[in-house]
């Protein structure tokens, strides 16, 4: 007998209380416009975005004052 488990991720709603908390799942991804708006307002908490797949939230390590301090070792 097969068992089906449904996983739903609930996200806290910030200023955009009109965003459905079930958004951002594989079956109900954010649109790119919703993603852009949430990034612009600083409310992006991660989730699935149409045509982009899973997009992680910004990495915050608690170091620095947020004014650009720190090091970047990128390509």
């Amino acid at each position: 007998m097969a068992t089906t488990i449904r996983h739903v991720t609930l996200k806290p709603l910030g200023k955009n209380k009109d965003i459905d908390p079930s958004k951002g799942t594989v079956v109900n991804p954010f649109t790119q416009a919703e993603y852009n708006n949430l990034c612009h307002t600083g409310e992006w908490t991660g989730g699935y975005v149409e045509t982009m797949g899973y997009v992680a939230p910004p990495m915050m390590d608690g170091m620095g004052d947020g004014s650009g301090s720190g090091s970047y070792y990128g390509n």
Side-chain angles (χ1 to χ4, degrees):
M1 181 168 116
T3 302
T4 302
I5 298 174
R6 183 172 180 201
H7 177 75
V8 176
T9 302
L10 298 178
K11 297 180 173 119
L13 298 177
K15 294 176 247 177
N16 289 318
K17 296 189 183 339
D18 57 330
I19 299 290
D20 181 350
S22 68
K23 290 290 281 193
T25 63
V26 173
V27 296
N28 191 15
F30 287 101
T31 64
Q32 288 188 359
E34 290 170 327
Y35 166 72
N36 290 338
N37 183 54
L38 290 168
C39 286
H40 180 72
T41 59
E43 297 181 82
W44 180 248
T45 59
Y48 286 87
V49 180
E50 291 176 347
T51 72
M52 296 174 67
Y54 181 80
V55 180
M59 299 283 288
M60 300 301 248
D61 64 3
M63 308 264 315
D65 61 4
S67 64
S69 61
S71 299
Y72 172 72
Y73 298 98
N75 294 331

